[in-house]
Amino acid sequence: MRKLLVVMAALGGLSVSVAWAAGTITFDQTLITIGDAPTRGRLVLRTEPETRSLPEIAAPAEPGDAPALTDQFTSASTTLPSHGGGDDALHLTTNTTLQSGTYDVSTFTVDAGVLVHCAGPVTIRTSGDALVEGSIQALGSDAHVILLCDGDFTARAVSGFAAPSMRSGTRLARMVVDALGDVTISGRTDGTGDCEFYGSQGVLVSARSVGTLLDVANAEFSAGPHGVYLRSEGDIVTRHITMTSSGGGMNIAAFGGDATVFASDIDTGSLGLRLLASGSFGIGDGSSVITKHVTVRAESGSLKITDDSLLEVRGTTTDIRVGDDVIIEDDSRLRHVGGGLPAEIVAEEGSLRLGPGDARLESTGSGAMIVRVGEDVSVGAGASISAVDGDIELHAARDVDAEGDVTSRFGAVTVRAGRDLAFSDPVDAETEITGAALALAAGGDLELTSARAKSGALSASAGGSLRASGAISAAQSIDVVALAGSIDVGGSAISTSPSDQESGSIRLETWAGDAAPIDLTAASLSTGTADATSGNILILVSEAPPSPGAPSEDDGKVTETPPGASEEFPLELLRARAKPARRDTWRIRARWTIALDADPVDLDPDLAVTIGSTRLPVSFTKRARRGVAVYKGDGVTLRVRPAAEEGVLRFDLTAKPALGDALSGRGNGTLDVVVSTSAWSASTRVELQRGRFRADR
């Protein structure tokens, strides 16, 4: 009580309300200042049970499911002639003119240095391979060049000769290469001669069969209204390519694997760009990709921008949705300059990772930067997330860990973590929009060194404990709340700004009663001066009364026998994903529902999940928010919650079981999944392709 009296004396004649019942508030070299005003605010200290309801921590927005890939080639291919071929080879060794028409051959070869003129529209169909080392030039203004190969297609530069080129007519003519085998395009590696593909209407280069490879190095693609489309039913590897278009968008689409763009320059001007892969998509080795709007899909993999590369959107929308991680590292940039439209980055079952190096995710326009991930957000030292005019929203189902800056100059910053949230560098929300706020929310613990809301309010809410050690300031009010842990602001400076009307108040409140103190050692708390009323300072240790149906100490114990001893229930698997971890161990994520009318915390203690031949026992750990029960075992976490349908439970699993050779190295195979207790079981069989299963496929 002596320390409290010292504080009261320092406050002079201010109105102070103090009520002691339970809990601890520690003052030691603490400075509390309430701003001057005609009506001065109050200091309120209270440690007692509360009649108010326990506040809720704002949960992160769920990433949702990435939509299925769409193939624009499907509609484009309907206008192409059908594949064919013949018995005789067509091998051109000298300059030649081909008349308009269709040529059915076994193989097609153009030697290095040979120029082939097409007098009109020409279609060449091969039953085997095609090799172009020379050039094909259409003479008619609307003359297309279409090469349909049932085998492989290769265009390659030969030393001592000009690099291959394939050019359609100059007015609304297509240049098409459609191969059922692999497509390989290679210009000179020294940069003195790139393979050239030009279509006045559009360019389409396709490796159409499952598992085929489109491999392009040292090539230029330019097109008219229908743009450039590079596609494969396998992987796409591009190095040192240039893509330009005068009227149509551009597409790089790997529908059966991964796609990479290395050391390349892509500029769509006022047009759009689609980067699609059923696996992962990579941009690296100093690549520059600039477009008006971009759509990125990496269905079961990651988007990785590395090695001082740039993906920049100038004008409209940034739409990035991947199955796994979004990674920006090694001085690379993902930049959104999109007017008032938002940039949306979604990692359905993965994380956003910035760094190492000066990696940046930035918005230089007025559109918001919205990130939703199924796991973590990590901003490494030296990396940053920034916006000039727009808001920043970061939503992570698990943790947010930022060693780099997260700043918005004129917008608000909202960060929500399902588990812990930690900032070790400043977090700025320099908003000049009245009412804009900096809002930090963590389902677990929250830690920050400093935070500033220059023109709005600041709130920091933690489901566990909260620790702040630097400068915390806001133009309006500051709310710091911890539901189940302590508040430690020792050494911090917490302040609200002066106002020509009312200055903002400061509230520090823990709801864990005497089990969680508030530590104000060496802290300073001050509200701004005001022309009318200065803000209050409230330091509260509260304990909410239990609400009907609230979890008790008996949570996790069996209160009733689950329905139907030894009863079988149908298990509906919604999605599953497997990635190699080490040796025969796989990282498994899965989601399913069971028509089991039970409370998630009332499942048997012997609840287990069996994947293949590996049984994974779990036991109740805690009841999380919104009715979620968390079960954990050795290397496995199971979250159970009521589904939207009545009487149905949803199960979300993360585990690393040993599967032996049940799955191939590429993640193909069949697994039996069983959820069981001593009283009931539910099972299904799932076939994984490339480590992935979705119920809607």
Side-chain angles (χ1 to χ4, degrees), residues 283 287 289 305-313 327-336 354 357-362 382-384:
I283 301 173
S287 292
V289 180
I305 306 174
T306 187
D307 301 323
D308 197 21
S309 295
L310 169 69
L311 173 57
E312 180 171 307
V313 181
I327 302 168
I328 307 170
E329 61 184 14
D330 300 328
D331 302 332
S332 296
R333 309 282 188 274
L334 198 167
R335 181 180 298 143
H336 177 70
L354 274 71
D358 182 19
R360 299 184 187 180
L361 173 62
E362 53 192 13
S384 62

mmCIF file of all heavy atoms in Angstrom, residues 283 287 289 305-313 327-336 354 357-362 382-384:
data_model
loop_
_atom_site.group_PDB
_atom_site.id
_atom_site.type_symbol
_atom_site.label_atom_id
_atom_site.label_comp_id
_atom_site.label_asym_id
_atom_site.label_seq_id
_atom_site.Cartn_x
_atom_site.Cartn_y
_atom_site.Cartn_z
ATOM 1 N N ILE A 283 10.003 -17.628 -58.961
ATOM 2 C CA ILE A 283 10.545 -16.498 -59.716
ATOM 3 C C ILE A 283 11.886 -16.172 -59.080
ATOM 4 O O ILE A 283 11.945 -15.850 -57.888
ATOM 5 C CB ILE A 283 9.608 -15.273 -59.659
ATOM 6 C CG1 ILE A 283 8.235 -15.617 -60.230
ATOM 7 C CG2 ILE A 283 10.212 -14.091 -60.406
ATOM 8 C CD1 ILE A 283 7.207 -14.512 -60.060
ATOM 9 N N SER A 287 14.963 -12.073 -61.812
ATOM 10 C CA SER A 287 13.873 -11.877 -62.768
ATOM 11 C C SER A 287 13.080 -10.616 -62.436
ATOM 12 O O SER A 287 12.940 -10.231 -61.273
ATOM 13 C CB SER A 287 12.927 -13.079 -62.768
ATOM 14 O OG SER A 287 13.562 -14.221 -63.298
ATOM 15 N N VAL A 289 9.269 -9.225 -63.281
ATOM 16 C CA VAL A 289 7.946 -9.530 -63.819
ATOM 17 C C VAL A 289 7.048 -8.352 -63.472
ATOM 18 O O VAL A 289 6.741 -8.108 -62.307
ATOM 19 C CB VAL A 289 7.386 -10.844 -63.234
ATOM 20 C CG1 VAL A 289 6.010 -11.129 -63.805
ATOM 21 C CG2 VAL A 289 8.337 -12.006 -63.519
ATOM 22 N N ILE A 305 9.730 -16.196 -54.427
ATOM 23 C CA ILE A 305 10.385 -15.108 -55.149
ATOM 24 C C ILE A 305 11.733 -14.901 -54.470
ATOM 25 O O ILE A 305 11.792 -14.569 -53.282
ATOM 26 C CB ILE A 305 9.548 -13.824 -55.107
ATOM 27 C CG1 ILE A 305 8.122 -14.097 -55.602
ATOM 28 C CG2 ILE A 305 10.186 -12.734 -55.957
ATOM 29 C CD1 ILE A 305 7.184 -12.917 -55.460
ATOM 30 N N THR A 306 12.816 -15.098 -55.220
ATOM 31 C CA THR A 306 14.131 -15.147 -54.584
ATOM 32 C C THR A 306 15.192 -14.536 -55.480
ATOM 33 O O THR A 306 14.956 -14.224 -56.646
ATOM 34 C CB THR A 306 14.483 -16.614 -54.235
ATOM 35 O OG1 THR A 306 15.678 -16.647 -53.470
ATOM 36 C CG2 THR A 306 14.655 -17.454 -55.492
ATOM 37 N N ASP A 307 16.384 -14.336 -54.917
ATOM 38 C CA ASP A 307 17.573 -13.885 -55.664
ATOM 39 C C ASP A 307 17.353 -12.534 -56.330
ATOM 40 O O ASP A 307 17.530 -12.392 -57.548
ATOM 41 C CB ASP A 307 17.989 -14.930 -56.708
ATOM 42 C CG ASP A 307 18.313 -16.278 -56.101
ATOM 43 O OD1 ASP A 307 18.886 -16.280 -55.006
ATOM 44 O OD2 ASP A 307 17.980 -17.302 -56.717
ATOM 45 N N ASP A 308 16.963 -11.517 -55.539
ATOM 46 C CA ASP A 308 16.833 -10.149 -56.035
ATOM 47 C C ASP A 308 15.871 -10.059 -57.214
ATOM 48 O O ASP A 308 16.131 -9.369 -58.205
ATOM 49 C CB ASP A 308 18.206 -9.603 -56.433
ATOM 50 C CG ASP A 308 18.212 -8.081 -56.564
ATOM 51 O OD1 ASP A 308 17.315 -7.440 -55.986
ATOM 52 O OD2 ASP A 308 19.095 -7.559 -57.264
ATOM 53 N N SER A 309 14.741 -10.724 -57.119
ATOM 54 C CA SER A 309 13.728 -10.709 -58.186
ATOM 55 C C SER A 309 12.572 -9.792 -57.799
ATOM 56 O O SER A 309 12.407 -9.434 -56.633
ATOM 57 C CB SER A 309 13.217 -12.127 -58.460
ATOM 58 O OG SER A 309 14.259 -12.942 -58.972
ATOM 59 N N LEU A 310 11.772 -9.444 -58.810
ATOM 60 C CA LEU A 310 10.670 -8.502 -58.615
ATOM 61 C C LEU A 310 9.409 -9.023 -59.280
ATOM 62 O O LEU A 310 9.438 -9.425 -60.444
ATOM 63 C CB LEU A 310 11.028 -7.138 -59.225
ATOM 64 C CG LEU A 310 9.889 -6.107 -59.334
ATOM 65 C CD1 LEU A 310 9.467 -5.622 -57.942
ATOM 66 C CD2 LEU A 310 10.313 -4.924 -60.203
ATOM 67 N N LEU A 311 8.311 -9.026 -58.540
ATOM 68 C CA LEU A 311 6.978 -9.203 -59.102
ATOM 69 C C LEU A 311 6.207 -7.944 -58.761
ATOM 70 O O LEU A 311 5.933 -7.670 -57.588
ATOM 71 C CB LEU A 311 6.279 -10.439 -58.525
ATOM 72 C CG LEU A 311 4.806 -10.627 -58.919
ATOM 73 C CD1 LEU A 311 4.643 -10.683 -60.426
ATOM 74 C CD2 LEU A 311 4.224 -11.877 -58.271
ATOM 75 N N GLU A 312 5.875 -7.146 -59.778
ATOM 76 C CA GLU A 312 5.245 -5.847 -59.554
ATOM 77 C C GLU A 312 3.950 -5.750 -60.342
ATOM 78 O O GLU A 312 3.911 -6.060 -61.534
ATOM 79 C CB GLU A 312 6.194 -4.722 -59.965
ATOM 80 C CG GLU A 312 5.599 -3.336 -59.763
ATOM 81 C CD GLU A 312 6.616 -2.235 -59.965
ATOM 82 O OE1 GLU A 312 7.699 -2.299 -59.323
ATOM 83 O OE2 GLU A 312 6.341 -1.315 -60.758
ATOM 84 N N VAL A 313 2.901 -5.296 -59.666
ATOM 85 C CA VAL A 313 1.588 -5.118 -60.283
ATOM 86 C C VAL A 313 1.288 -3.631 -60.324
ATOM 87 O O VAL A 313 1.219 -2.970 -59.291
ATOM 88 C CB VAL A 313 0.496 -5.862 -59.500
ATOM 89 C CG1 VAL A 313 -0.851 -5.690 -60.177
ATOM 90 C CG2 VAL A 313 0.846 -7.337 -59.378
ATOM 91 N N ILE A 327 6.861 -17.298 -50.198
ATOM 92 C CA ILE A 327 8.204 -17.032 -49.690
ATOM 93 C C ILE A 327 8.818 -15.908 -50.514
ATOM 94 O O ILE A 327 8.877 -15.984 -51.743
ATOM 95 C CB ILE A 327 9.093 -18.288 -49.778
ATOM 96 C CG1 ILE A 327 8.459 -19.443 -48.994
ATOM 97 C CG2 ILE A 327 10.494 -17.998 -49.270
ATOM 98 C CD1 ILE A 327 9.107 -20.786 -49.261
ATOM 99 N N ILE A 328 9.285 -14.867 -49.843
ATOM 100 C CA ILE A 328 9.990 -13.762 -50.485
ATOM 101 C C ILE A 328 11.313 -13.621 -49.739
ATOM 102 O O ILE A 328 11.315 -13.386 -48.522
ATOM 103 C CB ILE A 328 9.185 -12.452 -50.420
ATOM 104 C CG1 ILE A 328 7.769 -12.662 -50.971
ATOM 105 C CG2 ILE A 328 9.887 -11.348 -51.198
ATOM 106 C CD1 ILE A 328 6.843 -11.482 -50.730
ATOM 107 N N GLU A 329 12.430 -13.764 -50.450
ATOM 108 C CA GLU A 329 13.707 -13.782 -49.754
ATOM 109 C C GLU A 329 14.815 -13.204 -50.634
ATOM 110 O O GLU A 329 14.620 -12.939 -51.825
ATOM 111 C CB GLU A 329 14.061 -15.220 -49.342
ATOM 112 C CG GLU A 329 14.204 -16.190 -50.489
ATOM 113 C CD GLU A 329 14.449 -17.615 -50.033
ATOM 114 O OE1 GLU A 329 14.251 -17.907 -48.840
ATOM 115 O OE2 GLU A 329 14.864 -18.428 -50.873
ATOM 116 N N ASP A 330 15.987 -13.003 -50.023
ATOM 117 C CA ASP A 330 17.200 -12.599 -50.739
ATOM 118 C C ASP A 330 16.984 -11.321 -51.544
ATOM 119 O O ASP A 330 17.210 -11.283 -52.763
ATOM 120 C CB ASP A 330 17.685 -13.732 -51.656
ATOM 121 C CG ASP A 330 18.002 -15.002 -50.892
ATOM 122 O OD1 ASP A 330 18.422 -14.886 -49.741
ATOM 123 O OD2 ASP A 330 17.818 -16.094 -51.451
ATOM 124 N N ASP A 331 16.545 -10.250 -50.861
ATOM 125 C CA ASP A 331 16.408 -8.915 -51.465
ATOM 126 C C ASP A 331 15.385 -8.873 -52.592
ATOM 127 O O ASP A 331 15.499 -8.046 -53.511
ATOM 128 C CB ASP A 331 17.766 -8.415 -51.983
ATOM 129 C CG ASP A 331 18.822 -8.354 -50.890
ATOM 130 O OD1 ASP A 331 18.441 -8.177 -49.724
ATOM 131 O OD2 ASP A 331 20.015 -8.488 -51.203
ATOM 132 N N SER A 332 14.387 -9.714 -52.547
ATOM 133 C CA SER A 332 13.338 -9.725 -53.574
ATOM 134 C C SER A 332 12.157 -8.878 -53.128
ATOM 135 O O SER A 332 12.022 -8.525 -51.950
ATOM 136 C CB SER A 332 12.900 -11.157 -53.873
ATOM 137 O OG SER A 332 13.973 -11.901 -54.427
ATOM 138 N N ARG A 333 11.267 -8.547 -54.101
ATOM 139 C CA ARG A 333 10.129 -7.678 -53.841
ATOM 140 C C ARG A 333 8.857 -8.273 -54.433
ATOM 141 O O ARG A 333 8.869 -8.802 -55.546
ATOM 142 C CB ARG A 333 10.318 -6.296 -54.490
ATOM 143 C CG ARG A 333 11.634 -5.612 -54.185
ATOM 144 C CD ARG A 333 11.610 -4.987 -52.794
ATOM 145 N NE ARG A 333 12.784 -4.173 -52.574
ATOM 146 C CZ ARG A 333 13.950 -4.635 -52.124
ATOM 147 N NH1 ARG A 333 14.084 -5.925 -51.868
ATOM 148 N NH2 ARG A 333 14.968 -3.823 -51.931
ATOM 149 N N LEU A 334 7.774 -8.138 -53.703
ATOM 150 C CA LEU A 334 6.442 -8.309 -54.263
ATOM 151 C C LEU A 334 5.750 -6.977 -54.026
ATOM 152 O O LEU A 334 5.462 -6.606 -52.889
ATOM 153 C CB LEU A 334 5.682 -9.454 -53.600
ATOM 154 C CG LEU A 334 4.464 -10.013 -54.355
ATOM 155 C CD1 LEU A 334 4.017 -11.338 -53.743
ATOM 156 C CD2 LEU A 334 3.293 -9.048 -54.371
ATOM 157 N N ARG A 335 5.505 -6.239 -55.118
ATOM 158 C CA ARG A 335 5.051 -4.854 -55.006
ATOM 159 C C ARG A 335 3.693 -4.690 -55.677
ATOM 160 O O ARG A 335 3.492 -5.118 -56.813
ATOM 161 C CB ARG A 335 6.076 -3.921 -55.642
ATOM 162 C CG ARG A 335 5.718 -2.443 -55.570
ATOM 163 C CD ARG A 335 6.800 -1.604 -56.219
ATOM 164 N NE ARG A 335 8.068 -1.749 -55.521
ATOM 165 C CZ ARG A 335 9.255 -1.775 -56.137
ATOM 166 N NH1 ARG A 335 9.320 -1.686 -57.451
ATOM 167 N NH2 ARG A 335 10.351 -1.888 -55.434
ATOM 168 N N HIS A 336 2.775 -4.035 -54.960
ATOM 169 C CA HIS A 336 1.429 -3.776 -55.466
ATOM 170 C C HIS A 336 1.248 -2.268 -55.598
ATOM 171 O O HIS A 336 1.369 -1.532 -54.622
ATOM 172 C CB HIS A 336 0.395 -4.358 -54.497
ATOM 173 C CG HIS A 336 -1.027 -4.088 -54.874
ATOM 174 N ND1 HIS A 336 -1.637 -4.680 -55.950
ATOM 175 C CD2 HIS A 336 -1.969 -3.293 -54.299
ATOM 176 C CE1 HIS A 336 -2.895 -4.260 -56.026
ATOM 177 N NE2 HIS A 336 -3.117 -3.420 -55.042
ATOM 178 N N LEU A 354 9.014 -13.889 -45.075
ATOM 179 C CA LEU A 354 9.845 -12.849 -45.656
ATOM 180 C C LEU A 354 11.229 -12.929 -45.031
ATOM 181 O O LEU A 354 11.358 -12.913 -43.809
ATOM 182 C CB LEU A 354 9.247 -11.467 -45.411
ATOM 183 C CG LEU A 354 8.212 -10.965 -46.423
ATOM 184 C CD1 LEU A 354 6.914 -11.742 -46.283
ATOM 185 C CD2 LEU A 354 7.952 -9.474 -46.230
ATOM 186 N N GLY A 357 17.405 -11.578 -45.685
ATOM 187 C CA GLY A 357 17.727 -10.475 -46.572
ATOM 188 C C GLY A 357 16.661 -9.403 -46.544
ATOM 189 O O GLY A 357 15.684 -9.455 -45.793
ATOM 190 N N ASP A 358 16.862 -8.393 -47.404
ATOM 191 C CA ASP A 358 15.958 -7.249 -47.495
ATOM 192 C C ASP A 358 14.766 -7.611 -48.380
ATOM 193 O O ASP A 358 14.569 -7.057 -49.461
ATOM 194 C CB ASP A 358 16.717 -6.043 -48.059
ATOM 195 C CG ASP A 358 15.854 -4.791 -48.148
ATOM 196 O OD1 ASP A 358 14.815 -4.758 -47.463
ATOM 197 O OD2 ASP A 358 16.224 -3.871 -48.901
ATOM 198 N N ALA A 359 13.977 -8.549 -47.920
ATOM 199 C CA ALA A 359 12.788 -8.982 -48.658
ATOM 200 C C ALA A 359 11.630 -8.063 -48.311
ATOM 201 O O ALA A 359 11.446 -7.699 -47.143
ATOM 202 C CB ALA A 359 12.449 -10.428 -48.317
ATOM 203 N N ARG A 360 10.819 -7.701 -49.325
ATOM 204 C CA ARG A 360 9.764 -6.727 -49.085
ATOM 205 C C ARG A 360 8.442 -7.156 -49.716
ATOM 206 O O ARG A 360 8.408 -7.591 -50.865
ATOM 207 C CB ARG A 360 10.152 -5.363 -49.649
ATOM 208 C CG ARG A 360 11.400 -4.765 -49.042
ATOM 209 C CD ARG A 360 11.658 -3.377 -49.570
ATOM 210 N NE ARG A 360 12.946 -2.869 -49.124
ATOM 211 C CZ ARG A 360 13.428 -1.675 -49.436
ATOM 212 N NH1 ARG A 360 12.709 -0.856 -50.201
ATOM 213 N NH2 ARG A 360 14.607 -1.284 -49.000
ATOM 214 N N LEU A 361 7.390 -6.985 -48.946
ATOM 215 C CA LEU A 361 6.023 -7.076 -49.439
ATOM 216 C C LEU A 361 5.453 -5.685 -49.272
ATOM 217 O O LEU A 361 5.318 -5.199 -48.143
ATOM 218 C CB LEU A 361 5.222 -8.099 -48.634
ATOM 219 C CG LEU A 361 3.721 -8.205 -48.926
ATOM 220 C CD1 LEU A 361 3.478 -8.628 -50.366
ATOM 221 C CD2 LEU A 361 3.055 -9.190 -47.969
ATOM 222 N N GLU A 362 5.140 -4.995 -50.381
ATOM 223 C CA GLU A 362 4.811 -3.588 -50.258
ATOM 224 C C GLU A 362 3.678 -3.183 -51.187
ATOM 225 O O GLU A 362 3.509 -3.741 -52.268
ATOM 226 C CB GLU A 362 6.050 -2.726 -50.527
ATOM 227 C CG GLU A 362 6.744 -3.014 -51.836
ATOM 228 C CD GLU A 362 8.110 -2.352 -51.920
ATOM 229 O OE1 GLU A 362 8.619 -1.875 -50.881
ATOM 230 O OE2 GLU A 362 8.679 -2.308 -53.021
ATOM 231 N N GLY A 382 15.466 -7.312 -41.164
ATOM 232 C CA GLY A 382 15.810 -6.677 -42.427
ATOM 233 C C GLY A 382 14.715 -6.751 -43.464
ATOM 234 O O GLY A 382 14.743 -6.012 -44.451
ATOM 235 N N ALA A 383 13.752 -7.620 -43.286
ATOM 236 C CA ALA A 383 12.609 -7.723 -44.198
ATOM 237 C C ALA A 383 11.509 -6.780 -43.728
ATOM 238 O O ALA A 383 11.550 -6.245 -42.608
ATOM 239 C CB ALA A 383 12.103 -9.154 -44.262
ATOM 240 N N SER A 384 10.488 -6.567 -44.566
ATOM 241 C CA SER A 384 9.442 -5.626 -44.168
ATOM 242 C C SER A 384 8.158 -5.861 -44.950
ATOM 243 O O SER A 384 8.184 -6.386 -46.063
ATOM 244 C CB SER A 384 9.903 -4.176 -44.378
ATOM 245 O OG SER A 384 10.164 -3.925 -45.751
#
